[in-house]
Amino acid sequence: MKSLVALFMMAIALGMDAFSVGMGMGMISLRLRQIFKIGLTIGVFHVIMPLAGMFIGVILSAHFGKVALFAGGVLLILLGAQMIFFSFQKEAGPIVQPIGLGLIIFAVSVSLDSFSVGLSLGIYGARVWATVVMFGAVSMVMTWLGLLLGRKFQKLFGSYSEVLGGCILFAFGIKLLLSM
């Protein structure tokens, strides 16, 4: 029971970035169907990434953990900057939208920290599946909550909401880089 509580707390910690980044991404106009797909995709990546990390092992953890944090930080800074930049250009939309390849880029940037956690866990057996399923489910729900909250703010702040969302993504990227 204690190990399940610990796993749940770890899943919440990993899901907090999905919530924060989801809130920033929710500031652009998204339909409920898009919000569902984004949350589902991020949940799937929060299963795949720690699984991949666990299978690579503890030996590589120190090296790839910093690379994953750096890549995630840079991706979030770029996504935030392009949201801010394109919010001032009414005739053009953002380069990266949370659909297709843009959704994959977004999901990877949000779930890179779970890859690092998977590397550090480096264990096999029944707990692996319980861990990754819990990581995926919690991250999916927290992403949905962040996107829906961001959507509410988007209605409240109007045209400035995309700038605010970009600032949130940008700041979170910087936070990742500074935590290295």
Side-chain angles (χ1 to χ4, degrees):
M1 186 65 169
K2 288 181 182 179
S3 64
L4 281 178
V5 171
L7 281 177
F8 184 69
M9 296 306 284
M10 191 181 302
I12 288 177
L14 285 173
M16 287 306 290
D17 65 336
F19 173 80
S20 301
V21 173
M23 197 167 126
M25 186 61 75
M27 300 274 185
I28 63 174
S29 295
L30 296 173
R31 288 179 273 143
L32 289 176
R33 176 181 276 161
Q34 288 174 299
I35 289 172
F36 176 78
K37 287 180 184 178
I38 292 168
L40 190 63
T41 303
I42 288 174
V44 166
F45 271 88
H46 270 82
V47 169
I48 292 170
M49 297 299 268
L51 249 181
M54 287 177 189
F55 289 125
I56 290 175
V58 175
I59 296 170
L60 302 175
S61 179
H63 178 66
F64 280 120
K66 291 190 186 279
V67 171
L69 278 176
F70 179 77
V74 168
L75 283 171
L76 289 174
I77 287 171
L78 291 174
L79 284 170
Q82 75 89 34
M83 272 179 74
I84 293 166
F85 178 75
F86 283 106
S87 69
F88 294 110
Q89 297 183 350
K90 296 300 178 197
E91 68 277 352
I95 295 171
V96 178
Q97 289 283 344
I99 54 173
L101 182 60
L103 176 56
I104 300 300
I105 291 169
F106 180 61
V108 167
S109 70
V110 171
S111 62
L112 279 172
D113 60 341
S114 64
F115 177 78
S116 301
V117 169
L119 281 170
S120 64
L121 289 176
I123 56 174
Y124 297 98
R127 285 190 177 148
V128 170
W129 295 107
T131 300
V132 296
V133 167
M134 190 173 298
F135 284 2
V138 169
S139 294
M140 179 176 57
V141 169
M142 291 185 78
T143 301
W144 284 337
L145 291 173
L147 288 166
L148 291 170
L149 191 61
R151 188 176 185 213
K152 291 283 186 201
F153 279 114
Q154 190 265 339
K155 290 177 182 171
L156 183 67
F157 293 120
S159 62
Y160 296 106
S161 64
E162 199 165 339
V163 173
L164 180 61
C167 288
I168 290 170
L169 295 180
F170 193 87
F172 194 73
I174 289 174
K175 178 187 168 281
L176 277 180
L177 291 179
L178 292 177
S179 70
M180 293 178 45

